[in-house]
Amino acid sequence: MEGKCGVCGDPIDGTRNNEAPNGKYFTETIVGTYRSGAVIDVRIEMMANHLGWFNFKICPVTNDAVEVTQECLD
């Protein structure tokens, strides 16, 4: 799929383990609350540098039973 992935990093054409509502790793646990425009620290652990980049987006969760969409993240 040309390196594309789902909105939470899962394969675009595979099982969505990280996404609501049915993802294996989706626990409904709130691990952070952020305000619009806030600056946050993010830590990355890389095992190899492939000269790529990271792009982070967040979207408000208003209903755990609804899948996050790319439109919301944009």
Side-chain angles (χ1 to χ4, degrees):
M1 295 297 240
E2 300 177 11
K4 293 181 181 179
C5 61
V7 295
C8 291
D10 293 316
I12 199 164
D13 59 346
T15 304
R16 304 283 178 96
N17 286 327
N18 294 305
E19 296 181 25
N22 300 314
K24 179 163 102 174
Y25 303 113
F26 176 70
T27 64
E28 299 182 46
T29 302
I30 298 172
V31 296
T33 303
Y34 309 101
R35 295 186 187 276
S36 179
V39 176
I40 64 171
D41 292 323
V42 177
R43 186 184 323 191
I44 307 277
E45 183 175 334
M46 271 194 336
M47 301 303 171
N49 184 353
H50 296 284
L51 303 177
W53 65 89
F54 295 94
N55 189 12
F56 297 94
K57 298 179 180 185
I58 59 174
C59 184
V61 175
T62 56
N63 183 341
D64 289 340
V66 178
E67 183 177 337
V68 173
T69 65
Q70 187 63 52
E71 291 77 24
C72 181
L73 293 167
D74 289 341

